[in-house]
C-alpha cells in the first residue's frame, strides 16, 4: 500500500470556511475587549505622536468615544489622565482630589452611559513630579507603605465618583489588600479590583509615557515592576493578589509575555486579563503605516494569540477598531 493511503490528513479540517469554523478552538470578539482611553482637562482631541489613531480626549470627546465603543460592542473602558506639570507633586496629592480629572470623567461617563463598565488606573505616575508610580524618598527609593496609603485614598475617590472597577497598576506590595479593606470600610463592597498582578519593567510602555508625559524623571521602575526574565515570580504575585482579595488578575505587556499569560491562566481560577500595551500598538501601527503589514490581519492575529495564550479579556488600543473589523467579518 502506498504510504500516502495511510496518511493522517489534518488538512481536511481546513478545507473550507465552514469546516474551519467548526475546528476553531479560540474566539475573539468585542466582549473580550477593554478599551484604554487617555483624557485631558482642556478642550478637543490632542494627537499622540507615537500612537497614531489614539488621541488624548477632552471629557466631551471621552463621552462620545465611549458611547461609540458601546455601540460597537465594547462595554468596558479604562481611563488614564494626562495632567499639566502644575498638578504634579512629589506626594501625588492630585491623585485623590475628589474634583480631579478622573472623578469628573467617571461621573460624566456613568451619567451618559450607565451600562458602561468604567475602570480606573490606580498609581501615582500621572500625578508624580518624579514620574514614578510611588512616593520617592530623598535618597531616591520608592516608599512602599507610604505609597499604599495614598493609593487607598485614590481608589476611594474613584469609587465615590462611581467607578465599577479599580485597577492598581503600581506594583507596590500589599496594595490590593489595603485597597480592598478601604473600599469595604466605606461600603464599596461591590467595587471590583482588577490587579496588575504580573506587570513587567518593560520597554514597551514608551508611547504611553509620551501620551501622559509620565516617564520617570530619574532611574527606572525595576525596583517595583517585575524582571522580564521571570515567570515563577508571576505566580507568587498571583497567590498574593488572590489572597488579598483581587477579583481579576492582569499580565502586562501581552505579546512578549504569552507564556506568562498561560502560566497564570493555569494557576488561578480568577479571570485573567492581558494588556496589549502602547508599544505593541505602536509597532503594529508603524508597520501598517509603512505598508509592511496588513494592519487588520496582523492586529486580529495578535489578539487571537493573546486569547489563545489564556487571556479572558484583552486591554487593547485596537478595541473599537477590532470590534468593527470583526463585525464586518
Ligand atoms: C502606570 C501605567 C503604565 C501603563 C499603564 N499604567 C506605565 C508605566 O508603568 O510606566 C502602560 C500602558 C501602556 O504602555 O499601554 N502605572
Amino acid at each position: 500500500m502506498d504510504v500516502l493511503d495511510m496518511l493522517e490528513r489534518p488538512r481536511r479540517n481546513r478545507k473550507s470556511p465552514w469546516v474551519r469554523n467548526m475546528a476553531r478552538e479560540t474566539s475573539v470578539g468585542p466582549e473580550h475587549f477593554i478599551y484604554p482611553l487617555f483624557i485631558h482637562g482642556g478642550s478637543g482631541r490632542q494627537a499622540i505622536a507615537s500612537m497614531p489613531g489614539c488621541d488624548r480626549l477632552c471629557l466631551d470627546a471621552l463621552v462620545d468615544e465611549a458611547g461609540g465603543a458601546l455601540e460597537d460592542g465594547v462595554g468596558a473602558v479604562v481611563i488614564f489622565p494626562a495632567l499639566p506639570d502644575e498638578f504634579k507633586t512629589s506626594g501625588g496629592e492630585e491623585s485623590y482630589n475628589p474634583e480631579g480629572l478622573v472623578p469628573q470623567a467617571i461621573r460624566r461617563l456613568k451619567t451618559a452611559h450607565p451600562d458602561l463598565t468604567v475602570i480606573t488606573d490606580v498609581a501615582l505616575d500621572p500625578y508624580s513630579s518624579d514620574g514614578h508610580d510611588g512616593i520617592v524618598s530623598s535618597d531616591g527609593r520608592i516608599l512602599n507603605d507610604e505609597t499604599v496609603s495614598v493609593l487607598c485614598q485614590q481608589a476611594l475617590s474613584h469609587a465615590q465618583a462611581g467607578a465599577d472597577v479599580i485597577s492598581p497598576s503600581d506594583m507596590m506590595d500589599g496594595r490590593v489588600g489595603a485597597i480592598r479593606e478601604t473600599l469595604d470600610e466605606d461600603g464599596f463592597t461591590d467595587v471590583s479590583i482588577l490587579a496588575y498582578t504580573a506587570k513587567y519593567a518593560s520597554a514597551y510602555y514608551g508611547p504611553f509615557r509620551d501620551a501622559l508625559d509620565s516617564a520617570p524623571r530619574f532611574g527606572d521602575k525595576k525596583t517595583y515592576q517585575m524582571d522580564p526574565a521571570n515567570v515563577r515570580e508571576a505566580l507568587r504575585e498571583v497567590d498574593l493578589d488572590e489572597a488579598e482579595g483581587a477579583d481579576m488578575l492582569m499580565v502586562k505587556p501581552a505579546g512578549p509575555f504569552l507564556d506568562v499569560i498561560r502560566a497564570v491562566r493555569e494557576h488561578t481560577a480568577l479571570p485573567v486579563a492581558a494588556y496589549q500595551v502602547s508599544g505593541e500598538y505602536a509597532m503594529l501601527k508603524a508597520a501598517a503605516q509603512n505598508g509592511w503589514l496588513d494592519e487588520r490581519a496582523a492586529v486580529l492575529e495578535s489578539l487571537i494569540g493573546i486569547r489563545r495564550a489564556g487571556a479572558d479579556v484583552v486591554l487593547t488600543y485596537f478595541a473599537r477598531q477590532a470590534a468593527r473589523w470583526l463585525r464586518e467579518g
Side-chain angles (χ1 to χ4, degrees), residues 40-67:
H40 70 100
S43 58
R45 290 176 172 252
Q46 303 171 345
I48 302 163
S50 50
M51 298 184 73
C54 292
D55 295 329
R56 282 181 290 261
L57 308 172
C58 69
L59 296 187
D60 288 336
L62 170 70
V63 168
D64 282 357
E65 187 66 29

Side-chain angles (χ1 to χ4, degrees), residues 196 198-200 202 204-205 250-262 272-281 283-284 301-311 313-317:
Y196 285 68
K199 176 172 178 180
Y200 288 87
S202 170
Y204 291 83
Y205 307 149
M250 194 196 300
V251 175
K252 174 189 177 185
F257 295 89
L258 294 176
D259 59 321
V260 180
I261 297 173
R262 167 59 39 194
V272 175
Y275 199 147
Q276 183 179 52
V277 299
S278 57
E280 298 176 77
Y281 176 86
M283 288 194 301
L284 285 161
E301 187 175 321
S302 73
L303 295 171
I304 201 79
I306 295 165
R307 288 268 303 144
R308 191 192 63 242
V313 281
V314 186
L315 292 87
T316 173
Y317 301 97

Side-chain angles (χ1 to χ4, degrees), residues 58-81:
C58 69
L59 296 187
D60 288 336
L62 170 70
V63 168
D64 282 357
E65 187 66 29
L70 260 183
E71 280 167 25
D72 292 329
V74 178
V77 298
V78 55
I79 48 181
F80 296 100

Side-chain angles (χ1 to χ4, degrees), residues 124-273:
L124 298 189
D125 48 322
Y127 311 93
S128 159
S129 47
D130 299 302
H132 277 285
D133 292 30
I135 294 173
V136 183
S137 70
S138 51
D139 57 353
R141 286 174 304 118
I142 311 301
L143 299 172
N144 194 88
D145 301 12
E146 290 80 346
T147 299
V148 170
S149 60
V150 180
L151 298 174
C152 287
Q153 297 182 68
Q154 185 183 15
L156 189 59
S157 72
H158 296 175
Q160 285 165 339
D164 299 291
V165 180
I166 304 293
S167 197
S169 71
D170 54 286
M171 291 301 278
M172 296 302 118
D173 293 330
R175 90 283 205 209
V176 170
I179 290 172
R180 185 71 272 159
E181 197 178 297
T182 303
L183 294 175
D184 289 354
E185 275 169 4
D186 262 72
F188 293 106
T189 51
D190 286 341
V191 172
S192 315
I193 297 179
L194 164 57
Y196 285 68
T197 296
K199 176 172 178 180
Y200 288 87
S202 170
Y204 291 83
Y205 307 149
F208 174 99
R209 295 175 187 170
D210 293 343
L212 300 191
D213 185 26
S214 65
R217 305 298 189 248
F218 69 89
D220 53 41
K221 299 193 176 185
K222 290 180 184 170
T223 68
Y224 45 108
Q225 298 180 349
M226 285 177 52
D227 183 339
N230 294 353
V231 60
R232 292 195 308 269
E233 189 182 2
L235 304 183
R236 185 174 180 211
E237 292 281 5
V238 168
D239 291 343
L240 290 170
D241 285 358
E242 261 193 42
E244 291 176 33
D247 300 288
M248 301 173 213
L249 308 178
M250 194 196 300
V251 175
K252 174 189 177 185
F257 295 89
L258 294 176
D259 59 321
V260 180
I261 297 173
R262 167 59 39 194
V264 168
R265 171 65 291 154
E266 288 175 2
H267 192 75
T268 181
L270 295 178
V272 175

Side-chain angles (χ1 to χ4, degrees), residues 109-133:
L109 284 172
K110 291 305 288 187
T111 305
H113 312 298
D115 294 338
L116 182 74
T117 296
V118 175
I119 307 173
T120 59
D121 194 78
V122 164
L124 298 189
D125 48 322
Y127 311 93
S128 159
S129 47
D130 299 302
H132 277 285
D133 292 30

